[in-house]
Each structure stands twice: as structure tokens, then as C-alpha cells.
Amino acid sequence: MQKVSFFKSIHVKLVLIYMLLIIIALQIIGIYFSKELEENLKTSFQDSILQRIELVNYSIREEMLKERDDSTPEIETSLSVILKEFSKEDINEIIVSNNHNRILATSEDENQSLIGHRANYEIIRKAISSETLQDSISLDSESGKRVWVLAAPIRDTVGPNGEILGAIYIESNIEKVYEQLNEINRIFAAGIAMSLVITIILGILVARTITRPISDMRKQAQAMSKGNYSRKVRVYSTDEIGQLAIAFNHLTNRLQEAQSTTEAERRKLASVLSNMTDGVIATDRKGKIILINDPALSLLHETRESTLNRPIASLLGLDQEYSFEDLIHMKESVNLDFSMNDAPYVLRANFSVIQKETGFVNGLITVLHDITEQEKIDMERREFVANVSHELRTPLTTMRSYLEALADGAWRDENIAPTFLNVTQTETERMIRLVNDLLQLSKMDSQEYELSMEFVEFNKFFTRIIDRFEMSKSQSVEFIRLLPETSYFVEIDTDKLTQVIDNIISNAMKYSPDGGNVRFGFTVHDNMLRVMISDDGMGIPKENVGRIFDRFYRVDRARARSMGGTGLGLAIAREMIEAHGGKIWAESEEGHGTTVFFTLPYELDETGDWE
Ligand code: ADP
């Protein structure tokens, strides 16, 4: 949040408002007061002068109307006496002129020479001609002070109708009134200044009581926006601001509660989403991804950065077939096939729409589930059923044709009948072998078998099997034994392991040419006994070597079947060896022979222990 600058703060604004209000109020009062005062002072000054003029006017009239003889003094002299008497400190000069505008007397000593001359005063002329009192305030050119000049006509009778005898001119010093006014105004200004200072101090204090809680709340709001809810606003009073502070603290508590609830919910949701095995993707209403959980990222082999904001259809690789609108209305799940060559990888996507009550679509939730295993199992199951049907149908078809031939009369032919019966018997035996092998595998698949373990010396056990084959062999195959002197002990189910080794040796002999060699040996590798049975036979193409342990897999189907194989021997062998904790694999070069290896955990013959 921005910091409030000093001059923009409420505090300063309030103080300024106080000051302005006080200044305006005092100004209005001051102007009104000084105007009234000025008017009053001026009027009372002028009134006092006018009253005195009345008196002097009377005296002058009497003097002017007086009958004169030699004993009476000159009019100028008597007037001069009157004027001198009348002239006081507030009157600068007083002049009397006759109605011809000739000066009869003046109170000013310096101007006595003007007596008898025409009065050069406009105001006197005006007063005589208009027969009314004239006055004006003007500046004295010598002293620069304000003077009130006044000219009043002198009549021969009292009242307005008398004949004009002359005029009286008075120049009074009104400056004193203004000086007094100025003094009062100065006092007033000092009062304003003092009250301003007091107002500012009071204003600052009063404004602080308002702004301090507000500023506290501002700081609190700032702290809250940073996630700190521990602060509390101090409540200074019970007024509206105090109530606001209480409400603010209450709001903080509620917000904190709401925040922690939301946070807890968010964490719960996040942990549910990331601990699910299924991938979850949520989009906004335009189909852009707004949320994707970790399992979805790993299922799609994507990063969060590369997926957020991407259209869902493009992320799932469905943009060619479906629009976002189609996905919203998708009722069934969609299988996403990301299989590469030999590695199958299939995801199932289920869609559900986030909808408001009004039906407005808010987004789409996609749940991804890895169904590769399921698909693989389904495929294997289908393949297995097809294989079994095929394996059974071949001997059955053969048997049917031979039996049909026998039924058609061949049973009477002594030469053919035994051969035909022989074939059907062989095929039946092969079917029995096949069914037995299948049963055995099915038992292994459902873990329904138990190994009856025995502790045997492997050298002897292996030699015994080789001897049996050597004695019963019909081919001219050379057996080469590369067995070590040291005795190794293994814990095995001898029946099951005999079956494994029998199968490997009979394969070696089956696929060996006459005069070929079959080598037997075993060594120790990585704490395991590694058994090896190798032949010089036809070999297996490189790309198929790994597959000979798969059920029903045969390199050359027709040939293998003609040799009586079921295609399950090595598959059973692998299950058995793995059940014993070992591994089985083959190495081969086409045309140059095959070597089958398997490993078994072993114990060394500790002489003391076994004797
Ligand atoms: P089968 O009963 O057909 O022998 P197996 O499971 O024992 O079934 O062997 C699977 C296939 O592996 C055989 O059909 C054969 O094509 C191939 N195979 C096994 N052993 C050898 C070997 N020693 N030399 C060449 N091919 C072999």
C-alpha cells in the first residue's frame, strides 16, 4: 500500500480546515467590526465638530449683524477673537468669509495676511452658492494627514430660510480617529494571531484523536494484506471512530478465521489431489488448464509450467477429433493411446463438467487413469484364448480326419488302421500334455502350488539328469560336461527343477543336428549359481531370443509342433526358476547354436556342517 504523504494526510487537512475556518470567521468579524467602529468614531467626531459649529455660527452671525460704530471694534477683530477661542487642538484652521467670498477672519496666525482677500476655497463657494453644508475628507498636503474640511453657510436668521451672510470654513484633524482605529485593528490582529496559534495547537490535538485510530487501522489493513492478523487496533474512545475500531478488530478476527479455514481446505484439497493415484486436470470455462495435480503431470510426462493455460484438448492430444465443446458433452470415457512401438501406454480420461445451478458451464474436470496394465492383461488374455483354441484345434482337426478315414472303412485295412490309430493316440497325448502344461501354468498364476524344498548338492543332482539323457538318447549327440569340482548346495523343489532342466536339455537335443555337441556347465556369478546348457543347433534369430520364454511362442511354429512341443515348456521353466529366486535367459546366434542360462541361490559345502 502507498504511504500517505504528509500534506495529503487527514491530520494536516483537518488542521488546515480549522485554521481556514478561524481565519474566515475572524476576518468577517474583523471587517464588520472595524467598519462599524470607523463609522461610529467618525460620526461622533463629526457630531462634536458640528455641535461646536452651531455655536460658533451663532456667535459669528451675531457679530456680523451687529450695528457698528466707532466704539465697536472692527468686525475682523471680533471675529478673530471668536475664532481663536473656538479653535482647539482638533481644529487646524477656521476661516470666515462673507457672502462675496472674501475672507473676514482666520484662526491661523500665519494666514492673517489673507484677510480681505478672496477665499480661494472651492468648498466655500459651493456652500454659499448652494446654501447648504459641504464637507469632504482629504489629505493635508503639508502634514500628509487626513483632514475633514467643512463649509457651512451663515444665515441672518436661525433656520434654513435666512439670507446668506457668508460661510464658515473649518479644517479639522480627523486623522486621530483613524489612528485610534488602526490601534484597535492592531490589537485585533494580535488577537487573531494568538487565536490562530491556539487553534493550530488545539487542531493538532483534536485531529490526532481522530486520525490516530484511522492511521492505526490503515497500518492494520496493510499488515493484513501481508497475512499478519495478529495486530489489533487500539480502541481510544467509544465514539463512532472507537466503534469503527471495534468493528475493524472484529472483522480482522473473522477474516483470520475465514482465511485459516480456506487455507486448511486448500491444503486438504491439495494433499488429496497430489496423493491420488489418478491424474486430475481442471480447466476454466474456455478449456484452458487452471489446475493440474502431480500424478496427471507424471502420467502425461509434462511439467506444470508447460501445461497451465494450455487448451485441454491439445494437452490430451484430442484436438484433431474433439473440440472443447465436444468434451463438455462427452458422456463416455476416452482412451488416450500414447503407445510407442513395443511399449504400450494407454490412459483413460473421464470428463465431468463444473456447472452452476443456472446451467452455465464453469469448467471441466478431467480424471486420468493409467489403464496400460489392464489393457495389456486384456490383450494377453485374448491372445491366450486364441492360442489355446488354436493349439487344441490343430490336433483335433488331425484326429477328426483320421477318425473319419477309419470310419469310412480304413479300420478294415490292417496296414493303415494301426498307423491311423497311432496318430490319433499321439495327438491325444499331445493334447493331454498341453492341458497338463496349461493346468500347471494356471496353478502357478493363481499361486496355488507349493514348492517342497530340499537341500541338495547341485553337482550330483545335475549329473544325474544328464546321465539319464545320455543313456536314453537316440541321436548321435555328444554330451560335454564342464562341471566344477567344488560342491555347491541348493535348496530346491527337485521335481520342479528336474522338469525345467529336462525341458531345456530336450530342446537342446531337439534343435541339434546329428553329431552336434551339447555342453553342460555351471559357474558362480554375483553370489548365484549360473547354470548353462548350450548346443550347436539351428539357433534363434536375435530379435526373438527374449520371446522364447513367452507362452506359446515358437520360432518356427510348424517345425516345433511337429517335434511335439507345446510352446509352454520354457514359459513354465521361467515361472519355476523365478519361484526359486533365480533368473532364466538365452543367448543365441542363428545357425550357430543356443545357450540357455539360469541362476539359483546356493550355499557352499561347509565340510564340518555336512559331515
Ligand atoms: P516347445 O515345446 O515348442 O519346445 P518351448 O517353450 O520349450 O516350447 O520352446 C519355445 C520355442 O523356443 C521353441 O518352439 C523353439 O522355437 C525355441 N527354442 C527353444 N530351445 C531352443 C534351442 N535349443 N534351439 C533353438 N530353438 C529353441
Side-chain angles (χ1 to χ4, degrees):
M1 209 180 279
Q2 245 185 327
K3 207 176 172 317
V4 180
S5 79
F6 178 73
F7 289 104
K8 283 182 181 165
S9 70
I10 292 185
H11 202 136
V12 171
K13 278 183 191 159
L14 280 174
V15 174
L16 283 176
I17 288 169
Y18 286 142
M19 275 169 59
L20 280 174
L21 285 177
I22 290 288
I23 290 172
I24 291 168
L26 290 179
Q27 279 298 316
I28 292 169
I29 294 169
I31 289 166
Y32 177 75
F33 178 77
S34 69
K35 273 273 161 242
E36 281 294 305
L37 196 67
E38 186 184 341
E39 213 45 52
N40 267 341
L41 288 176
K42 242 163 74 182
T43 320
S44 65
F45 177 82
Q46 286 170 339
D47 282 352
S48 87
I49 298 282
L50 284 173
Q51 274 170 12
R52 280 149 69 189
I53 282 178
E54 282 291 311
L55 278 176
V56 82
N57 204 340
Y58 175 79
S59 309
I60 291 168
R61 180 168 60 235
E62 290 303 304
E63 206 55 53
M64 284 175 102
L65 294 174
K66 202 184 250 177
E67 291 291 323
R68 292 197 184 269
D69 52 27
D70 290 347
S71 62
T72 48
E74 289 277 312
I75 184 165
E76 284 85 355
T77 319
S78 9
L79 283 178
S80 188
V81 172
I82 293 168
L83 294 190
K84 282 252 168 59
E85 255 175 38
F86 182 72
S87 170
K88 292 271 168 55
E89 61 203 36
D90 51 352
I91 292 183
N92 293 348
E93 190 179 12
I94 174 160
I95 294 169
V96 177
S97 76
N98 64 11
N99 51 6
H100 300 295
N101 207 11
R102 221 165 273 281
I103 293 172
L104 295 177
T106 169
S107 63
E108 195 67 27
D109 292 334
E110 292 160 18
N111 293 342
Q112 293 302 323
S113 55
L114 295 175
I115 294 172
H117 289 88
R118 278 183 74 84
N120 210 9
Y121 296 101
E122 179 61 28
I123 194 165
I124 296 176
R125 265 198 301 277
K126 261 197 190 160
I128 292 169
S129 61
S130 67
E131 298 182 10
T132 51
L133 191 136
Q134 300 289 323
D135 76 322
S136 75
I137 290 175
S138 59
L139 269 185
D140 184 54
S141 53
E142 285 170 30
S143 62
K145 290 183 175 170
R146 258 169 289 202
V147 287
W148 184 41
V149 275
L150 181 128
I154 306 166
R155 296 175 195 272
D156 59 350
T157 55
V158 181
N161 301 320
E163 195 183 321
I164 301 292
L165 297 176
I168 181 165
Y169 168 89
I170 292 176
E171 193 182 296
S172 58
N173 183 6
I174 203 169
E175 184 66 35
K176 275 193 175 161
V177 171
Y178 288 97
E179 276 170 9
Q180 214 177 342
L181 253 175
N182 282 346
E183 187 58 29
I184 291 169
N185 280 345
R186 251 198 307 284
I187 294 170
F188 202 77
I192 289 181
M194 259 156 61
S195 62
L196 263 183
V197 171
I198 295 169
T199 312
I200 290 173
I201 295 168
L202 279 178
I204 290 172
L205 294 176
V206 172
R208 257 178 70 167
T209 62
I210 298 171
T211 57
R212 197 195 281 170
I214 293 177
S215 143
D216 271 10
M217 279 183 251
R218 185 178 139 259
K219 282 186 194 141
Q220 161 115 1
Q222 275 173 331
M224 267 156 67
S225 70
K226 287 179 189 143
N228 177 6
Y229 295 93
S230 58
R231 280 177 67 122
K232 288 277 167 293
V233 177
R234 228 176 98 186
V235 181
Y236 292 94
S237 58
T238 51
D239 59 5
E240 287 90 334
I241 292 185
Q243 296 292 328
L244 180 65
I246 294 170
F248 198 84
N249 283 338
H250 187 61
L251 177 78
T252 310
N253 286 341
R254 296 300 300 272
L255 206 65
Q256 186 173 14
E257 279 166 26
Q259 173 83 9
S260 54
T261 316
T262 320
E263 186 60 20
E265 288 299 322
R266 200 189 60 75
R267 258 191 248 123
K268 241 189 273 172
L269 182 69
S271 90
V272 167
L273 282 178
S274 61
N275 287 312
M276 296 174 69
T277 46
D278 285 352
V280 178
I281 305 170
T283 73
D284 61 10
R285 63 194 156 82
K286 288 185 178 153
K288 297 250 165 73
I289 292 163
I290 50 171
L291 183 146
I292 181 161
N293 69 350
D294 293 340
L297 291 173
S298 62
L299 284 174
L300 293 168
H301 309 299
E302 292 277 357
T303 61
R304 185 158 275 117
E305 294 71 41
S306 68
T307 48
L308 286 180
N309 272 330
R310 242 174 91 181
I312 179 85
S314 119
L315 178 72
L316 300 181
L318 295 172
D319 43 355
Q320 300 292 325
E321 301 150 73
Y322 303 106
S323 66
F324 179 60
E325 202 53 36
D326 296 335
L327 295 183
I328 285 175
H329 297 111
M330 187 76 76
K331 292 275 179 291
E332 284 149 18
S333 56
V334 175
N335 283 2
L336 312 170
D337 195 346
F338 295 109
S339 305
M340 302 266 254
N341 302 331
D342 281 350
Y345 188 52
V346 186
L347 300 181
R348 174 165 296 159
N350 285 296
F351 302 96
S352 56
V353 181
I354 316 170
Q355 236 167 351
K356 280 188 179 177
E357 283 157 15
T358 51
F360 186 80
V361 173
N362 248 357
L364 183 75
I365 299 269
T366 309
V367 178
L368 295 179
H369 187 67
D370 187 351
I371 53 160
T372 312
E373 273 310 306
Q374 203 178 318
E375 283 289 292
K376 224 157 86 181
I377 291 169
D378 273 0
M379 213 172 69
E380 277 172 6
R381 191 179 46 78
R382 283 194 295 273
E383 212 174 308
F384 182 75
V385 172
N387 276 329
V388 171
S389 325
H390 185 77
E391 291 301 327
L392 288 174
R393 200 183 56 195
T394 318
L396 283 171
T397 338
T398 316
M399 278 165 66
R400 188 177 62 186
S401 50
Y402 278 89
L403 288 173
E404 272 170 6
L406 284 170
D408 283 349
W411 63 275
R412 278 190 222 101
D413 188 331
E414 278 178 23
N415 293 326
I416 302 173
T419 323
F420 278 20
L421 284 172
N422 211 8
V423 170
T424 53
Q425 196 181 357
T426 317
E427 291 299 313
T428 313
E429 273 162 13
R430 200 150 72 88
M431 278 199 293
I432 291 169
R433 263 207 313 281
L434 179 73
V435 172
N436 280 340
D437 281 357
L438 280 173
L439 273 175
Q440 196 172 1
L441 271 174
S442 135
K443 272 188 193 160
M444 284 175 177
D445 285 346
S446 55
Q447 314 277 319
E448 266 178 24
Y449 70 104
E450 267 179 36
L451 296 175
S452 51
M453 301 298 235
E454 276 176 69
F455 219 70
V456 294
E457 193 191 340
F458 190 73
N459 311 45
K460 281 187 190 159
F461 168 74
F462 197 23
T463 311
R464 225 176 287 136
I465 299 172
I466 302 166
D467 288 345
R468 176 158 52 78
F469 270 94
E470 199 160 31
M471 278 191 297
S472 63
K473 70 173 191 244
S474 53
Q475 292 163 268
S476 56
V477 179
E478 188 74 26
F479 277 19
I480 302 168
R481 301 172 197 225
L482 305 163
L483 307 178
E485 291 290 307
T486 331
S487 298
Y488 292 93
F489 286 82
V490 286
E491 195 178 16
I492 51 167
D493 181 327
T494 44
D495 282 353
K496 300 276 187 331
L497 216 70
T498 308
Q499 190 189 338
V500 171
I501 296 171
D502 277 5
N503 186 272
I504 299 170
I505 298 177
S506 57
N507 275 345
M509 289 170 69
K510 248 195 283 184
Y511 301 105
S512 280
D514 274 350
N517 294 326
V518 177
R519 284 168 294 277
F520 306 91
F522 65 92
T523 51
V524 169
H525 260 273
D526 300 333
N527 294 325
M528 296 289 266
L529 212 60
R530 182 186 282 186
V531 185
M532 167 215 95
I533 296 157
S534 132
D535 63 64
D536 301 330
M538 53 193 291
I540 306 161
K542 251 197 174 52
E543 62 274 18
N544 299 330
V545 176
R547 301 189 58 193
I548 59 170
F549 299 95
D550 291 350
R551 294 174 190 190
F552 295 113
Y553 182 80
R554 295 179 184 106
V555 178
D556 180 346
R557 264 174 191 275
R559 215 189 115 151
R561 203 175 285 123
S562 71
M563 290 183 172
T566 59
L568 293 173
L570 286 179
I572 294 172
R574 181 169 67 180
E575 297 286 340
M576 296 285 190
I577 293 295
E578 283 175 3
H580 278 84
K583 275 191 185 137
I584 185 164
W585 71 98
E587 285 172 10
S588 179
E589 208 177 319
E590 211 174 353
H592 293 284
T594 307
T595 308
V596 176
F597 298 92
F598 66 86
T599 60
L600 285 175
Y602 74 94
E603 299 257 345
L604 265 179
D605 174 19
E606 299 279 359
T607 326
D609 285 1
W610 292 97
E611 282 196 345

